[in-house]
Structures are given as C-alpha cells and as structure tokens.
Amino acid sequence: FGSTTTLHSMLAMRVVAVMAMVCSVSVPTVARTVPLTPRSTLRVGVGQTLCLSGDRDGNLWRIERALKSLAADGADIAVFPETTVLGWDNPLAWSQGTPIPGPDTERLATLARDSGIAIVVGLAERVNATTLHDSAVLIDRTGTLLHTHRKVNVLSSLMSPPYTPGLNDANNIAAVPLKLADGTTIKVGVLICADTFEASILARMAADEPTLVAVPYGWSGCPTGVSNANQSHCAGVTWPAHGADLTQLVVGVANRTRAIAVGVDTVGQQLQGPWAGQTYGGFSTVAVPGRGATAVLADRDVEVRVVDVPLS
C-alpha cells in the first residue's frame, strides 16, 4: 500500500510539473491587420519623374526606379504625373495607347505589387479607334486595379484628334477605399490636371469625402517669352513663376475638397502641338486643408520624396 501511494504521488508531481511547463511556454501572437491605435500620419510618395514623349519602356523604368526609392523610405502610396507612360498631348497615343485593363496597367500592377506601395499613375487609355482617354489609375499594393479616372477637362485644342473627355459623374469622380499595409483604410480620389480648374468637379469630389486627392499634372511653361512656337502663350506662363501657380492651385484643391492634395508634375518637354517646346517644370506640391503646402519639390528637375502628412 505504501509503495502504491508513493507511485501515485510521484505521478501526480510529474503531471503538475508538465502542466507548469506548458503554462510557462509563450504562445506566439497572430499579426494584427488593424493597428492597435489609429495612425496619425500618412506617408505619401511623390514621383516627380522625367517623362520622354513616346518612350514607354524608359518612362516605366523611371517609375520602377522611383518606386524602389519610395519603398525604401516607407511610402504608403505614391503619385506620378499625367500620361507619364507615353507623354501628354502625344498623338502617337492614338496608335500606341492601350486599354484599361491592358498591358500598361498590368505592368504598373506588377510594379505596385513588387514595391508594396499603392500607386496613382497617369496614362493614355485607348478604348478603340475613335476613343482615347487621358486617364489615371489607382492600383493597390497587391496589384489590384481599384479605380480609373478619365480626365473631364481635356483642353481639346491642344491635340488633334483630341482626347475623349470623361464624364462629370459619380462613377468617374469618386473617392474609393484603399487599405494600407497596416490595415488602415483611407479614401482616395483621383483627378487630372485641368480637372482642378472646374468648381463643379471639385465640389463633386468633396461630396465623396476623400482622405486624399491625387492629381497627376502635365504643368508646362517656358523659361522666356520667346522659347517656343506659341510665343503669345508663353509670354505669361514662364518658370519659375508658373511653379508658384501650381502650388497655389494644389493648395486650393486641398481646401475645396477638405482632403490632403497631392499634385505631381513631370519633368521634360512637350514635343507636339501648339505648346511644343514648353517644358514641364516640376514644383510638385503636397498640401493639407487649412495648413497650405507642406512640401514643394524641385524646380525643373527630377525629385522623388516621401512626405509625412497628418491624417487628423
């Protein structure tokens, strides 16, 4: 009886010891997809890249290189210029543009996925032989195409045949949800350049309550009043003063939409149309409503930068 009691006691002690060991082992936690506390800032990548008219492969390579830099600096979303795959007001887009979705957006989706950054990029969207849009796409960090905006105010006198205008309606002018890497969701609206001249377009965007409005620009001017074929136009649109005009415009977009505004211009030269010879001068601007411009990029030079903006 004594030996049996001793055996039972020893077994009980071993069970207790094993249970103690199990309880002392730390159980790994599962990564959360929702931040423990709301984030206070958004890291916006500004891709003020060089665009050469018709140089699709080179322009896409420059976007890829910029994304690598922005990813290394922790950007959540990156914005690039207007029609930056083939160049703005390039009539060759009528034959070289691609549909959306199509080869250009597939390439851009790969770049977004590889970098882990959501992107907004301007490109020519050829629908068919009679329809060519000046468009911009929002692609999330997994490579999913979330939204296509088609420019409404196309300035039709600058290319023949001109771009086909997009519609001033709730489908084209919309702020769509974008989920960031940490699970935070923001609403992103997309407009293009001269769309921001129109009060009705800005009012429609504001009604959708965006967190951020991304605006690819093709903002060009001249260093002097006689530096291109259209001298009368250039006389009042010269660098660097034209850069200050862009900054003021982007600040106005922020205030009128009550959202972070990211206006991104390219660097390069217009080669076609009545404004041939004008240069794209940079001055890409990030603005916060009620606070003005928080960042203005280089004057007539390439620059890629991450800008922290408040989400409050």
Side-chain angles (χ1 to χ4, degrees):
F1 181 82
S3 61
T4 303
T5 301
T6 301
L7 179 60
H8 286 174
S9 298
M10 292 175 63
L11 289 172
M13 291 174 64
R14 293 187 64 182
V15 169
V16 170
V18 170
M19 290 179 65
M21 290 176 62
V22 171
C23 292
S24 68
V25 174
S26 61
V27 179
T29 57
V30 178
R32 298 174 64 94
T33 57
V34 178
L36 292 173
T37 57
R39 59 154 65 193
S40 59
T41 60
L42 182 69
R43 308 213 75 201
V44 177
V46 184
Q48 183 172 294
T49 51
L50 172 69
C51 176
L52 299 180
S53 186
D55 184 20
R56 170 183 271 116
D57 287 343
N59 293 330
L60 287 168
W61 163 241
R62 286 181 277 275
I63 292 171
E64 179 178 356
R65 187 174 180 182
L67 281 171
K68 289 178 180 178
S69 174
L70 294 170
D73 288 341
D76 295 305
I77 182 171
V79 183
F80 290 88
E82 180 178 9
T83 53
T84 195
V85 174
L86 289 174
W88 185 51
D89 279 349
N90 181 359
L92 290 176
W94 279 101
S95 59
Q96 296 181 9
T98 63
I100 296 175
D104 285 343
T105 53
E106 289 173 6
R107 176 85 176 270
L108 292 170
T110 298
L111 297 182
R113 187 166 51 250
D114 289 349
S115 64
I117 303 174
I119 60 174
V120 174
V121 181
L123 71 164
E125 177 192 6
R126 185 180 184 274
V127 179
N128 52 45
T130 60
T131 305
L132 176 72
H133 291 294
D134 179 342
S135 298
V137 292
L138 169 63
I139 300 173
D140 75 9
R141 67 186 191 87
T142 71
T144 301
L145 176 62
L146 298 181
H147 180 63
T148 301
H149 171 73
R150 297 174 177 97
K151 188 178 183 181
V152 179
N153 188 17
V154 296
L155 305 180
S156 59
S157 65
L158 298 182
M159 187 172 77
S160 182
Y163 291 110
T164 307
L167 298 177
N168 186 352
D169 65 13
N171 291 322
N172 190 37
I173 301 170
V176 301
L178 172 68
K179 190 174 183 179
L180 305 179
D182 68 352
T184 300
T185 297
I186 62 173
K187 290 181 71 177
V188 177
V190 181
L191 298 174
I192 299 173
C193 199
D195 286 341
T196 60
F197 303 169
E198 301 294 329
S200 64
I201 294 175
L202 293 175
R204 188 181 291 278
M205 179 60 75
D208 225 11
E209 299 183 345
T211 311
L212 178 147
V213 177
V215 191
Y217 279 92
W219 194 256
S220 72
C222 299
T224 72
V226 293
S227 62
N228 84 337
N230 189 353
Q231 296 179 15
S232 61
H233 175 77
C234 272
V237 184
T238 58
W239 299 108
H242 198 39
D245 295 338
L246 177 59
T247 294
Q248 284 189 328
L249 184 61
V250 177
V251 170
V253 172
N255 290 336
R256 297 177 75 169
T257 62
R258 300 181 296 278
I260 300 160
V262 185
V264 182
D265 190 24
T266 190
V267 176
Q269 188 173 48
Q270 285 187 256
L271 300 180
Q272 307 284 343
W275 291 358
Q278 291 189 186
T279 54
Y280 301 106
F283 280 89
S284 300
T285 298
V286 178
V288 175
R291 303 189 188 183
T294 60
V296 178
L297 272 64
D299 173 4
R300 288 165 287 179
D301 201 359
V302 170
E303 185 178 0
V304 175
R305 189 196 302 183
V306 173
V307 180
D308 288 337
V309 290
L311 275 177
S312 56

